Amino acid sequence: MNNTNGTNEDNFYKELYNTISIVTLPLVVVGFICNLFLLFVIRSHRDFYKPTYYLIAILTISDIIVSITMIYGFSQLFTRTVDKNTASAMCKSAVYMTFASYTISILTLDLIAIDKYFALARPSSAFYLKYKNKFLVTAEISIWIFAFIINAPVIAYFESKDKDYGLCDFIDITISISIYIIVLVVFLYIIPSILIIVMHAKIIRFQKNYVRPFTIEEDRQASLRNKKLIKALMYIALSNVCITWPYFATLLGNAITQTSYFQLRASNKVVYVLSLLSRSITASIIIVSPFTCFKFDRNIRKRAKVIIKQIFNKD
């Protein structure tokens, strides 16, 4: 009887992993293609040779890296074709690159928010005028270094669970690992999210209170385009905060209870299934950025249409 129950449970999880993979993989592939196209659009014309678009390009590269690792991860979860050692090595590298890329994305969104606030509310600031480019370059390099350093321990803390069909999971969670996970949640989610919300609240308040003097039509149109770009960036930033909170809440739960995903599966099936869904939901962040840029940014949308016409009108 126990063997029958065990077999039924194994079959349930096999079907669950397959369903999640089948649903998520196409979304990730679409995200990969759209981000690749967005990067090509941004790099194809001199109109995009501006700090904000450079930062958007960095976000796009980060999303491309995440999408590649997710394509591997969900493909492996579906096919389970590699040996244990290879699966473990690929699990560690995929988790590390995903965490590092996410860190780069969220902190770059913070940097964009700070840059936009200074450009709108304090355009005549001596610091902003004199050190803007140097500050942005230094900050972005620091973000990349920080991302690869703070996420390095995940290489040691994750493994491919052979008894759970190759699912990438924590090793046994000790107190030191719990502390590290909590630090990770604080620096990768809580602090960046607070900064994003505060900076965009300042931008919204400034735009509501600002009375624009009479200007010529060309200036008015440029201002309107800038507002749409800010709206797009705001939407991308807040989407990242909202979409990823279930996953980071799950990580925090893992740390507090010192429970890995596999241990959670044995103790609480419902919570375990929800934790898996949080991973899949997080995958959707790579689709948000390109579609938001195409929708709200006139320059990107216009250039994308030109490129698409050139592709389809080729003899």
Side-chain angles (χ1 to χ4, degrees), residues 16 19 23 26 35 38 81-82 121 136 166 169 171 174 178 193 197 201 223 239 267 290 293 299 311 314:
L16 176 64
T19 302
V23 171
N35 277 290
L38 176 58
T81 54
V82 298
L136 291 177
D169 194 2
I171 60 175
T174 61
S178 290
S193 297
I197 293 169
S223 175
S239 295
S267 61
C293 288
N299 292 331
I311 291 172
K314 269 188 175 181

Side-chain angles (χ1 to χ4, degrees), residues 111-207:
L111 187 59
I112 290 173
I114 293 169
D115 176 53
K116 281 300 171 187
Y117 172 74
F118 271 93
L120 282 172
R122 303 180 65 184
S124 58
S125 164
F127 172 83
Y128 180 78
L129 291 173
K130 188 174 182 180
Y131 298 109
K132 175 184 174 180
N133 290 337
K134 193 175 293 185
F135 167 74
L136 291 177
V137 171
T138 304
E140 192 58 45
I141 292 172
S142 300
I143 285 170
W144 280 70
I145 294 171
F146 174 77
F148 285 110
I149 290 175
I150 194 172
N151 292 294
V154 302
I155 297 172
Y157 295 159
F158 273 83
E159 65 180 357
S160 177
K161 284 281 197 287
D162 189 48
K163 53 190 174 183
D164 198 16
Y165 310 108
L167 191 72
C168 224
D169 194 2
F170 290 104
I171 60 175
D172 292 337
I173 300 178
T174 61
I175 293 177
S176 61
I177 295 177
S178 290
I179 293 172
Y180 170 72
I181 296 171
I182 293 170
V183 170
L184 212 59
V185 172
V186 169
F187 281 95
L188 268 61
Y189 183 78
I190 295 175
I191 293 176
S193 297
I194 291 172
L195 186 56
I196 280 174
I197 293 169
V198 168
M199 295 310 300
H200 282 107
K202 285 178 175 288
I203 290 171
I204 291 169
R205 188 167 62 248
F206 174 82
Q207 288 183 326

Side-chain angles (χ1 to χ4, degrees), residues 233-247:
L233 295 170
M234 195 178 301
Y235 185 82
I236 292 169
L238 296 179
S239 295
N240 270 264
V241 172
C242 295
I243 289 171
T244 57
W245 83 260
Y247 180 67

